Amino acid sequence: MATLPLNKSANVRSVLEYVPYFRDKIFAVHVERPLVDSRELVDALLDLDVLQEIGVRPVLIVEGADASALYEHTRVCEMRSALVEAPLKGGQLVRERVREILGRHQIPVVASGRSGSFDPESVHMAFSLGASKYIALLNDHKVPSLDGRPIAAILESEVAELAGNVTHRELLDQAAEACRAGIPRVHLLDGKMRGVLVEELFSEEGVGTMVHTDSYREIRPLKEEDIPELLSMIARSVVDSKLVNRNYEDIAARMDSYYVLTLDDSIVGCVAVYPYPEHHSAELGCLYIKHRHEGRGYGRALCEFAKRKAEEMGMEFIFALSQSAVHYFRDRMHYAEFSRDSLPPERLRTLELSGRKSGVFGLRLK
């Protein structure tokens, strides 16, 4: 079995987080013709072999009329692959052959019969197979950027609205069109970058450009099946006395108050909004961002979300209690410091019983 290359952004823990999401998913991987004989492609093929081992079902598509050279490389890499001798432009029978090979738990290797990374046959086949990802391995560093900065992820609907100096705009437009054709996620990757598949697929920020149809970053209500993940995520801050200790039953009893921030369906942060309707107040609690995602604005996004939720509830005051995040709430979120007398009486009692020396930071909403 091939070995998975690991580095600072794709370690064993981060890889394992993605395995349940990738299992049984079809990834269509389109290879530009100049990459076929490159040494870098061998890395990508070995990584695809590992992806197959963890349950991904790859389909390899090569630009042009003949897939035999790419197929020979897969054989050298000892991949469980099979050659589709006719190109995709051969029509329905060729697509059925691809489906048959997938059903045998092999990797189909097929030529598109066309030029370009987003020819109609390749995109249509990926859609008809129900592919969750279409990955374009590009030659010559053709990953798009905006005003000199890489475009990590962008909604399909936002591509046409991009203003500024956009490189490789045509590829970006073609990726958006593939999304509109029914493929949820399209990745534009530099095929000459070693380990590019691992770096893109097993880290939330990635190294290429992902064009997607749904929300890549989402704040959603907590689900019961999320509770073990939330408890494990906040455990370090509980041990360090930065967060109040909570158990499964505590969270389940107030589950409607909890929200999680996800990147590509992976939970990376959380916040709770506890209402005190008799006092027209809400508490912002359990604010946490996973360590490796700090410094990216996710904490601010959760605080803003909590504020909107409090406003939707008709609250006039939102407050947070903290010993360790004084600088964050006061200087970065511009929460004012209040006396403990501003708290709802029942919250003041529980705070005093806890013995914690938390300060009170809040915002007037009306």
Side-chain angles (χ1 to χ4, degrees), residues 20 31 79 150 182 195 233 295 322 325:
V31 181
M79 299 171 70
M233 183 172 66
S322 183

Side-chain angles (χ1 to χ4, degrees), residues 226-237 246 251 288 290:
D226 298 327
I227 296 178
E229 171 71 11
L230 187 150
L231 287 169
S232 66
M233 183 172 66
I234 67 175
R236 183 175 63 179
S237 276
R246 297 166 174 86
I251 294 173
Y288 187 78
K290 282 185 177 179

Side-chain angles (χ1 to χ4, degrees), residues 37-312:
D37 292 317
S38 67
R39 287 177 297 177
E40 292 84 0
L41 184 65
V42 173
D43 279 351
L45 294 178
L46 291 173
D47 291 343
L48 281 173
D49 190 37
V50 176
L51 285 170
Q52 188 184 35
E53 291 284 350
I54 65 172
V56 174
R57 302 168 66 196
V59 177
L60 268 171
I61 310 165
V62 64
E63 180 183 23
D66 185 6
S68 59
L70 180 57
Y71 174 59
E72 287 304 314
H73 289 308
T74 66
R75 296 180 69 189
V76 171
C77 293
E78 299 181 352
M79 299 171 70
R80 294 192 297 273
S81 59
L83 176 65
V84 180
E85 295 185 354
L88 283 174
K89 68 177 183 179
Q92 179 65 26
L93 289 177
V94 179
R95 291 194 293 273
E96 288 302 320
R97 174 64 173 157
V98 170
R99 197 181 298 274
E100 177 189 343
I101 292 169
L102 273 175
R104 300 193 311 231
H105 303 287
Q106 291 179 294
I107 300 174
V109 183
V110 61
S112 67
R114 305 280 186 180
S115 61
S117 294
F118 293 96
D119 62 276
E121 282 80 8
S122 296
V123 173
H124 178 67
M125 184 195 69
F127 169 71
S128 66
L129 291 172
S132 61
K133 292 182 182 291
Y134 187 103
I135 300 168
L137 292 180
L138 307 168
N139 192 41
D140 294 334
H141 312 290
K142 291 188 291 192
V143 177
S145 64
L146 173 62
D147 295 331
R149 298 186 300 274
I151 302 172
I154 183 170
L155 275 167
E156 163 270 316
S157 58
E158 294 175 350
V159 170
E161 301 169 4
L162 277 180
N165 181 22
V166 181
T167 64
H168 307 297
R169 182 65 189 249
E170 183 180 0
L171 278 171
L172 203 56
D173 290 338
Q174 290 172 341
E177 184 62 33
C179 285
R180 288 191 288 273
I183 300 171
R185 310 262 166 108
V186 177
H187 299 258
L188 300 170
L189 304 183
D190 178 2
K192 288 291 185 73
M193 177 181 175
R194 290 190 179 276
V196 67
L197 284 173
V198 172
E199 290 281 358
E200 175 72 5
L201 299 176
F202 292 103
S203 63
E204 282 85 357
E205 300 306 314
V207 292
T209 295
M210 181 178 71
V211 183
H212 54 104
T213 55
D214 55 355
S215 181
Y216 171 62
R217 189 180 89 176
E218 178 186 19
I219 299 175
R220 61 166 175 79
L222 182 76
K223 302 174 186 176
E224 188 167 1
E225 57 264 32
D226 298 327
I227 296 178
E229 171 71 11
L230 187 150
L231 287 169
S232 66
M233 183 172 66
I234 67 175
R236 183 175 63 179
S237 276
V238 170
V239 171
D240 292 341
S241 299
K242 294 179 180 178
L243 287 179
V244 174
N245 191 26
R246 297 166 174 86
N247 60 29
Y248 191 102
E249 290 73 23
D250 294 333
I251 294 173
R254 304 185 73 176
M255 196 165 64
D256 290 347
S257 297
Y258 286 85
Y259 302 88
V260 291
L261 184 149
T262 65
L263 294 182
D264 206 10
D265 297 326
S266 179
I267 295 173
V268 301
C270 60
V271 73
V273 184
Y274 307 117
Y276 295 87
E278 291 183 4
H279 303 280
H280 307 289
S281 299
E283 179 181 359
L284 185 160
C286 199
L287 177 65
Y288 187 78
I289 301 295
K290 282 185 177 179
H291 179 66
R292 68 177 182 272
H293 297 284
E294 292 176 351
R296 298 174 181 173
Y298 299 150
R300 177 179 292 276
L302 284 167
C303 286
E304 292 294 337
F305 176 87
K307 177 174 174 285
R308 290 195 301 273
K309 277 293 172 186
E311 289 172 334
E312 289 170 9

